[in-house]
Amino acid sequence: RPMPGKLFLVGDPKQSIYRFRRADIALYERVKQILLGYGARLVHLSTSFRALPDIQLLANAAFGSVMAGNAARGEADYVPLSPFRKAREQQPALIALPVPAPYGKLGGVTKTAIKASLPDAVGAWVEWLVTKSGWVVREDERDVPVSARHVCLLFRRFKDWDSDATRDYVRALEARRIPHVLSGGRSFHTREEIVALRAALCAIEWPDDALSVYATLRGPFVAHADESLLSARAALGHLHPAGPIELEQLSGCQREVAETLLLLRDLHRARNRQPIATTVGAFLNATRAHAGVAIWPTGEQALGNLMRVLDLARSHERRGEGSSFRGFVAWLDERAEHGDAAEAKVVEESSDGVRMMTVHGAKGLEFPVVILCDPTAPKRPERGSRVIDIERRIWAQSLCGVEPIELIEQRDSVRDQDEAEIVRLTYVAVTRARELLVVPVVEDGPISGWLDVLHPALHPHGTGEVVAGEHQLQNGGQRVVWWSSRLLDLTRPPTGGLRQQELLVAHTDGAGQSTIDAHQAWLLQREAARTKASVPTLRLRTVTEVAHSDSVRSAALPEVVDSGVDRSLRPSGPRFGTLVHALLEQPLRASDAALRALALVWSREVGATALEIEAALDAVLVARAHPLLIAARAALDRGECEHELPVTFHRETGELIEGVVDLVFRERTASGTRLLLVDFKTDVELLDLSAYAHQLELYAQAYASATGERPECLIFRV
């Protein structure tokens, strides 16, 4: 039973759009009723601080009647929104954007015609908005001119059966040189540069794949003519990268084809001996792909997509999903089949680019300008999605095209619930807008799809011709501006890569320096930076490495104390030494049982045998009983002992030396006190005692420089 003031829940059932993740509105209503029965108080927060009043009035008019709180249909209770912000008098908040050519061959409105003509109208309207309108939006408590980064195109879906619902919108924006950011989507894998690059990567991995090799030779990165390929095939007898090739016996075009085959051969041989991104980058550099795609009509996006593949290669290796080149190629093919990779971002999130998102992806976000797209996406599904029966603890949904009996029996009611969720999805889309909401419309009536619920709140008469201009609707009182398609620059064909060509030709900028000269200066500056960066300013070495490499060593040899363990029959070698040192690194007060358990763990780590485990335990237990370590434990009780102490210090040579001191403690006896620095050794024989002495000397210097007190050094043989 919740106590007053102990539980506070916030939720908006009108925005429940994640039923496929078990966020079922019926469950929400059930829990709400239980809490109300226990004395909870229901409070409605109706003031909307985000949008301008006309957008809120549209939402009230459109959803007030369809969200009637019908539990059987999964409907939410609608709570009208109250305005907080003041309306802008100089610019509208609601735009009805007519579809330019919604009619099919027989004269009626068709979904095919709407899909074909609306994307171009959206691209043209966005171009007008950001280049000619002079409108402003609120940002950081001030009004700023609207730009592309303030605009978001919202979709109900990105996949329209096997096609990409965003592709035509992307092309409309690219034809007008409007940068965009596509957050998710399928068009990345279907773009020409990505298809061509995937074919080239397949040719590198599988030289026997004649189709991939031909696609690479004929593709946009190499672009050999069919005549050249036939001539080279006749001269070589093959077009196989691994076949015999004699360049001296070939003519001009034949030689060019052969050089491409040799490139594929070299990359094939080196593909598994270097990072995946290096192989991909080597192919792009050798074919000068960057310069080639830069003059495409959509060269900037194409360049961004090629760089995106390099990023995918690096992240693929970094995540450890597969170290082989073949694994990456197969992974790319799988992503292409499922279409779950995002379009390369030609702009950063904070830069000037139109956002393209699904409503689910935009949940929780807001944008100054929102344009609702793909209005023909269905509102009522042909089949029910799922049955959720809380009382019977059943979740039933179709699998591989087969529907369970529970779903068949409740098909109509489930479809009603799915349709109610689509209505809530539309509500979420509408309420993402702060300053301006643009909705596609047709004068003849509502467009059959997920946005048809908005039509009565946008059309002044319900159906029929509408005069372009501002209208104040009787249903809600919102002001809506119906746009005229004649004001838009429609059917803009993709232009040549003139803007990209400017990156590749010599011309003079305002400072009087040609871009080619500037590029050459940048190359020299980059090479100088690389040369400087290749010389280390600080070298990191271990104490052990320095002790064995220094030509001048310490003259005085340290005191050697033996633990007294029998070494005549015990194992030796690096594996045994690693196990002994691992046990010596444990706290000085660790019990014998704890050491035995740790020995078993470490033995699995290093692959030690049972004999090595017992010998290591015996050596460590004997060492712990030695008076030296007994004195160390006494110092530990006094707070005068450091075990496994890391040290780092600079040498006069500029090197940074690091190591770990096994033991440092202050020994107190009847004759006085002394500070001891102890290094454990498990060698059968101490052959290079001078190197060990130098190692201890370095430790002592580091300790003295840090504390001001120099310890005495000794070696403890375990």
Side-chain angles (χ1 to χ4, degrees):
R1 181 182 296 274
M3 298 176 61
K6 295 294 185 181
L7 180 63
F8 184 79
L9 301 180
V10 178
D12 187 356
K14 303 188 301 298
Q15 299 190 48
S16 175
I17 59 173
Y18 289 101
R19 185 165 172 260
F20 61 91
R21 293 181 181 172
R22 301 179 64 185
D24 187 67
I25 194 169
L27 179 61
Y28 167 85
E29 293 293 342
R30 180 182 179 185
V31 172
K32 184 179 76 173
Q33 294 303 322
I34 291 175
L35 292 174
L36 291 176
Y38 279 123
R41 186 161 59 99
L42 179 63
V43 178
H44 292 294
L45 177 63
S46 60
T47 302
S48 175
F49 300 90
R50 173 184 298 157
L52 293 178
D54 284 326
I55 299 177
Q56 297 169 341
L57 293 174
L58 169 76
N60 293 339
F63 299 101
S65 59
V66 296
M67 290 186 179
N70 189 329
R73 287 179 51 88
E75 293 177 351
D77 280 318
Y78 189 79
V79 178
L81 301 176
S82 301
F84 175 80
R85 299 176 59 190
K86 294 182 179 180
R88 292 185 181 275
E89 299 299 332
Q90 302 301 322
Q91 62 188 53
L94 286 177
I95 299 292
L97 182 64
V99 179
Y103 305 106
K105 295 181 179 179
L106 300 179
V109 175
T110 66
K111 291 186 176 182
T112 302
I114 293 174
K115 291 179 182 179
S117 63
L118 179 60
D120 189 53
V122 170
W125 195 88
V126 172
E127 180 186 32
W128 176 89
L129 176 68
V130 300
T131 61
K132 301 178 182 179
S133 69
W135 291 356
V136 297
V137 295
R138 196 72 174 170
E139 184 178 72
D140 297 331
E141 303 302 325
R142 60 190 179 92
D143 289 338
V144 298
V146 65
S147 63
R149 64 185 173 87
H150 296 130
V151 182
C152 178
L153 273 57
L154 281 186
F155 295 79
R156 206 212 86 179
R157 60 187 180 181
F158 273 169
K159 290 183 180 180
D160 182 5
W161 296 99
D162 285 337
S163 63
D164 186 353
T166 67
R167 184 182 307 166
D168 291 337
Y169 293 88
V170 169
R171 290 174 176 172
L173 294 175
E174 289 178 340
R176 294 167 173 83
R177 305 292 189 197
I178 300 174
H180 66 277
V181 177
L182 180 61
S183 299
R186 193 178 183 182
S187 63
F188 175 79
H189 292 289
T190 60
R191 292 184 65 104
E192 180 182 1
E193 65 274 9
I194 300 303
V195 173
L197 183 56
R198 284 175 46 221
L201 299 183
C202 288
I204 293 172
E205 177 57 38
W206 294 286
D208 292 329
D209 185 354
L211 184 59
S212 294
V213 173
Y214 173 76
T216 304
L217 297 174
R218 194 70 177 85
F221 298 133
V222 184
H224 293 303
D226 286 333
E227 295 83 355
S228 300
L229 297 179
L230 290 172
S231 177
R233 175 69 172 80
L236 295 172
H238 65 86
L239 286 179
H240 196 294
I245 298 175
E246 298 291 341
L247 292 178
E248 295 78 8
Q249 302 177 4
L250 302 177
S251 62
C253 65
Q254 298 171 351
R255 188 184 185 93
E256 292 175 354
V257 174
E259 288 174 346
T260 305
L261 295 175
L262 290 175
L263 171 65
L264 296 177
R265 175 198 296 179
D266 294 341
L267 294 177
H268 171 76
R269 291 175 176 175
R271 72 196 189 286
N272 289 328
R273 297 195 297 270
Q274 61 188 9
I276 299 172
T278 301
T279 302
V280 179
F283 174 79
L284 295 176
N285 291 332
T287 58
R288 299 188 67 198
H290 306 86
V293 301
I295 61 174
W296 291 9
T298 58
E300 290 168 293
Q301 184 70 46
L303 284 173
N305 289 337
L306 294 180
M307 296 302 101
R308 173 66 172 155
V309 175
L310 291 173
D311 291 339
L312 290 175
R314 297 186 186 99
S315 62
H316 182 78
E317 287 188 305
R318 186 168 56 249
R319 291 192 303 267
E321 296 181 0
S323 57
S324 69
F325 186 81
R326 175 173 297 186
F328 175 67
V329 176
W331 180 82
L332 268 185
D333 288 341
E334 182 182 357
R335 301 276 90 66
E337 181 179 354
H338 293 88
D340 56 352
E343 187 89 359
K345 296 182 179 181
V346 297
V347 291
E348 297 297 330
E349 291 295 339
S350 60
S351 59
D352 193 14
V354 174
R355 273 60 175 166
M356 305 178 68
M357 307 178 71
T358 63
V359 181
H360 285 98
K363 181 71 163 62
L365 304 178
E366 59 183 53
F367 309 93
V369 181
V370 169
I371 303 177
L372 305 182
C373 301
D374 191 24
T376 59
K379 173 183 176 182
R380 185 175 179 86
E382 296 182 3
R383 293 185 176 184
S385 60
R386 59 193 60 80
V387 170
I388 304 173
D389 192 327
I390 299 175
E391 301 295 337
R392 299 169 60 192
R393 301 179 64 84
I394 288 178
W395 176 296
Q397 66 183 58
S398 60
L399 182 65
C400 300
V402 179
E403 293 181 293
I405 186 63
E406 292 83 0
L407 186 57
I408 295 176
E409 292 174 346
Q410 304 182 46
R411 178 177 297 165
D412 291 339
S413 63
V414 171
R415 291 177 65 194
D416 289 342
Q417 295 174 10
D418 291 340
E419 183 177 348
E421 184 168 71
I422 297 299
V423 171
R424 296 194 295 273
L425 189 79
T426 309
Y427 174 83
V428 172
V430 168
T431 54
R432 296 311 94 195
R434 291 203 315 259
E435 308 277 342
L436 180 61
L437 177 67
V438 182
V439 184
V441 293
V442 172
E443 294 180 347
D444 292 359
I447 301 174
S448 178
W450 72 296
L451 300 179
D452 60 3
V453 67
L454 302 178
H455 184 82
L458 291 172
H459 201 294
H461 320 298
T463 58
E465 183 178 354
V466 181
V467 177
E470 183 178 279
H471 300 268
Q472 186 163 7
L473 273 69
Q474 299 296 323
N475 178 19
Q478 61 275 13
R479 296 179 304 161
V480 182
V481 171
W482 275 66
W483 211 259
S484 173
S485 299
R486 293 190 297 271
L487 301 177
L488 300 177
D489 184 10
L490 299 174
T491 64
R492 175 83 65 84
T495 58
L498 296 179
R499 180 178 174 188
Q500 291 78 10
Q501 287 176 3
E502 293 176 356
L503 303 174
L504 305 175
V505 302
H507 72 281
T508 302
D509 59 18
Q513 182 186 24
S514 71
T515 53
I516 289 183
D517 292 341
H519 180 65
Q520 293 297 328
W522 175 80
L523 290 177
L524 294 175
Q525 183 181 7
R526 183 181 65 169
E527 186 61 29
R530 286 180 171 178
T531 302
K532 182 179 179 181
S534 64
V535 179
T537 56
L538 184 66
R539 293 184 59 197
L540 178 65
R541 302 177 69 190
T542 64
V543 171
T544 303
E545 179 186 357
V546 173
H548 286 81
S549 62
D550 278 2
S551 58
V552 180
R553 297 181 177 179
S554 303
L557 298 181
E559 178 186 355
V560 179
V561 178
D562 197 296
S563 66
V565 68
D566 183 9
R567 301 183 185 85
S568 59
L569 298 177
R570 80 176 189 184
S572 61
R575 184 172 59 193
F576 176 75
T578 301
L579 184 58
V580 173
H581 272 284
L583 296 176
L584 289 172
E585 290 173 3
Q586 304 310 311
L588 293 175
R589 294 204 173 279
S591 64
D592 294 353
L595 288 176
R596 183 171 294 276
L598 287 169
L600 293 175
V601 173
W602 275 100
S603 65
R604 291 193 292 268
E605 183 74 21
V606 301
T609 64
L611 179 61
E612 291 172 332
I613 296 173
E614 292 301 324
L617 280 170
D618 180 60
V620 173
L621 293 177
V622 170
R624 283 173 170 260
H626 191 275
L628 182 68
L629 293 192
I630 293 175
R633 283 195 291 272
L636 182 63
D637 294 336
R638 299 190 303 268
E640 297 177 333
C641 177
E642 294 286 351
H643 186 214
E644 294 296 315
L645 177 66
V647 295
T648 304
F649 59 97
H650 286 274
R651 297 184 80 189
E652 300 80 2
T653 58
E655 295 175 316
L656 183 65
I657 311 301
E658 67 174 8
V660 178
V661 177
D662 291 335
L663 183 64
V664 179
F665 71 97
R666 190 174 301 279
E667 184 183 40
R668 295 183 181 272
T669 62
S671 58
T673 65
R674 60 173 180 165
L675 184 64
L676 292 179
L677 189 150
V678 183
D679 193 38
F680 300 142
K681 297 298 180 186
T682 59
D683 305 34
V684 177
E685 296 182 13
L686 299 178
L687 299 178
D688 193 0
L689 196 58
S690 64
Y692 293 150
H694 190 43
Q695 179 179 351
L696 286 171
E697 175 66 20
L698 293 172
Y699 281 139
Q701 291 177 6
Y703 192 89
S705 65
T707 65
E709 185 178 7
R710 185 180 180 86
E712 298 180 26
C713 300
L714 62 84
I715 292 176
F716 185 49
R717 294 188 65 197
V718 179

